[in-house]
Amino acid sequence: MITWMQKNKKYLVVTIWISVIAFVGAGFVGWGAYDLNNNRATSVATVGHRNISVQELQQKYNQIYDYYSNIFDGQFTQEKAEEIGLENIAMQAVIQDNLLLNFADDIGLSVSDEDVLKYIVADPSFQTDGAFNKNLYYDVLRRARINPNDYEKNLKRQILMDKINFILKTTATQKDIELMNAAFFMQDRVAVEIIKSDKNEITINEDELKQLWENNKNNYMTDTLYGLQTLYIESNDIDVNATELTAYYNDNKDKYKDSDDKIIAFENAKEQVLKDYSLEKNKTQALEKYIAVKKGEISTDSEIYITENNATFDMQEIKEANLGETIKPFIYQNGYLITKIKSITPPQPMSFEAAREQVLEIYKFDKSKEILESKTKAALANFKGKDIGFISRDLNQTIDGLEIHEAQAFVSQLLESPNKKGYIVLDDKAVIYEILEQKLLTNNINNNYKQLVEQNIANLKNSELMQDLTNELQKRYVVKEYIKR
């Protein structure tokens, strides 16, 4: 097995810079609280008889982080990693690895010290002029702050992973290739007839409309309604000399940019600069009144009732506030607005009258579809159709009566249909079809495509095989996670 791996090193995922060096690239991740019992103190999980260490999880996290970073051309950040739940992805990936490692142990696969030595000696990272250099090996690891024992232990685990993956690897059969080619290179000669819906054929039945609302009233909810007690503090004009205003502009230049992201000259931005400067200077007064409102020393002077959809200012703080809470003043119009949460009315079902227009759209859509289906079925019984010739999956043109995107959607569904004759509904149109003839254009398949097809089939089969195997192994080996998230 090690001989095969030496000859096929491109299949080995372990490299010193990606698989081994922990705590680089993405940086160290805090993995939450631990369940500190027995050997759990040094493990984040156990799978079968194998423990998963913090280092192993961190290495997997870094590998996946590096993968996403390459996809996003270096624009992948720690914030985006948190958004997609990269910690959880890494945990599930390392658990899957250890399910396979347990399986490898059980079927008798192992990695000897000789296997590890042969791989290290063959690694170009540790060679000088094509020959293994022991001093270089220790120097590289020392500079990377990696203990040789840890590196070799990690390498042994990775070689075992490659052995089990090699054993499980499957390839595309000739039958697989023929089926895939048929899917992509099959051409159908088709006769079609386009049936269109007509909204003028729809008759509105108010009883049916009301029943539709009744059956789905929880889909038509009002927005959360906020009752706010407010106090508006208008920004007072202040005397400011040119020196002060210019200094404020220079400190805040990045706020004044045109559509090309270029900084606007002071003279052209002067009016806005003066407005912003006045707001800044009046901020203290607004904060003082906010404290007074909060203490009950002064009262608000108006009330408004708003929802997120009709608000003329950012609602985020208000949405997060509690009933009775006073929100710090924020810029509003030409001054500051202090708001106090008087009431919060949660969403509730709309009345039929309020929801009628929304319900009517659904009603018309459903009725239009019913009428279209009825007309299409009637036309299908006497279908003759127009022969449009041969079409294939890579169609990139219109069909008479269909826009190009509609034609492509029709072809895609047609080639997946087992029926020689039938119809396909596309929004407000239906296409009745009959397949008159089929042919396979195998002469158009070049070698590059053949290789691509074989590779994609093999990847798909291996992915499905691995998923099925993992599902079975989860039943065989107990998985315990010790991180509390």
Side-chain angles (χ1 to χ4, degrees), residues 43-174:
S43 304
V44 294
T46 57
V47 179
H49 61 269
R50 284 181 171 265
N51 293 326
I52 300 174
S53 67
V54 176
Q55 289 81 3
E56 186 179 347
L57 178 57
Q58 182 71 43
Q59 288 166 13
K60 181 62 70 174
Y61 181 94
N62 287 347
Q63 289 176 32
I64 300 173
Y65 189 99
D66 187 59
Y67 169 77
Y68 278 110
S69 186
N70 287 332
I71 289 178
F72 289 100
D73 197 25
Q75 301 302 307
F76 190 69
T77 62
Q78 200 65 49
E79 288 72 24
K80 287 181 181 177
E82 291 173 4
E83 256 180 58
I84 67 170
L86 194 60
E87 288 184 21
N88 187 57
I89 292 172
M91 175 63 88
Q92 296 311 310
V94 82
I95 285 173
Q96 180 171 315
D97 286 351
N98 278 272
L99 286 169
L100 291 173
L101 290 171
N102 272 272
F103 182 57
D105 295 337
D106 285 353
I107 63 175
L109 285 179
S110 62
V111 178
S112 67
D113 292 341
E114 185 181 359
D115 291 336
V116 175
L117 179 60
K118 286 180 179 179
Y119 181 80
I120 292 172
V121 169
D123 192 328
S125 302
F126 309 128
Q127 292 180 355
T128 303
D129 297 328
F132 175 69
N133 185 322
K134 184 177 179 180
N135 291 332
L136 177 62
Y137 170 68
Y138 286 112
D139 187 53
V140 169
L141 295 184
R142 180 184 55 77
R143 283 186 281 114
R145 297 181 181 178
I146 299 171
N147 184 288
N149 289 334
D150 291 337
Y151 174 70
E152 289 161 19
K153 180 181 177 182
N154 187 81
L155 186 55
K156 182 177 285 191
R157 183 174 61 244
Q158 191 58 55
I159 293 173
L160 185 57
M161 278 292 298
D162 286 303
K163 284 188 177 185
I164 189 67
N165 282 325
F166 177 67
I167 288 173
L168 296 172
K169 185 178 178 183
T170 185
T171 57
T173 66
Q174 188 58 39

Side-chain angles (χ1 to χ4, degrees), residues 274-317:
L274 179 58
K275 181 180 177 182
D276 293 345
Y277 184 76
S278 297
L279 282 168
E280 185 70 27
K281 289 299 180 183
N282 282 281
K283 188 175 182 179
T284 301
Q285 179 193 6
L287 287 170
E288 288 173 352
K289 290 196 174 183
Y290 155 73
I291 293 170
V293 169
K294 196 172 181 180
K295 290 181 176 179
E297 296 172 354
I298 61 174
S299 301
T300 54
D301 57 12
S302 63
E303 289 184 5
I304 57 174
Y305 290 86
I306 59 171
T307 67
E308 189 173 4
N309 287 330
N310 64 19
T312 55
F313 47 81
D314 186 3
M315 290 283 292
Q316 192 57 42
E317 281 193 77

Side-chain angles (χ1 to χ4, degrees), residues 393 408-418 423-426 433:
R393 192 177 294 274
Q408 290 172 336
F410 162 66
V411 171
S412 177
Q413 293 184 55
L414 172 68
L415 294 176
E416 292 173 5
S417 172
Y423 66 91
I424 292 168
V425 177
L426 304 168
Y433 68 87

Side-chain angles (χ1 to χ4, degrees), residues 18 67 141 171 178 183 186 189 197 214 318 371 474 480:
I18 296 176
Y67 169 77
L141 295 184
T171 57
E178 288 172 3
M186 182 68 71
R189 187 171 135 245
S197 66
E214 188 69 43
I318 291 171
I371 294 170
Q474 285 175 330
K480 294 180 181 178

Side-chain angles (χ1 to χ4, degrees), residues 355-385:
R356 187 179 185 281
E357 289 304 312
Q358 295 181 50
V359 178
L360 185 58
E361 287 299 311
I362 304 298
Y363 179 85
K364 286 181 177 179
F365 177 82
D366 291 344
K367 281 294 180 184
S368 177
K369 194 172 180 180
E370 284 178 21
I371 294 170
L372 181 60
E373 291 259 7
S374 179
K375 288 167 62 176
T376 303
K377 288 177 181 177
L380 181 62
N382 303 304
F383 172 69
K384 288 189 173 50

Side-chain angles (χ1 to χ4, degrees), residues 242 245-247 249-250 263-271 273-274:
L245 204 59
T246 302
Y249 165 80
N250 288 331
I263 294 175
I264 302 171
F266 172 71
E267 288 303 321
N268 296 329
K270 188 173 182 180
E271 185 177 339
V273 173
L274 179 58

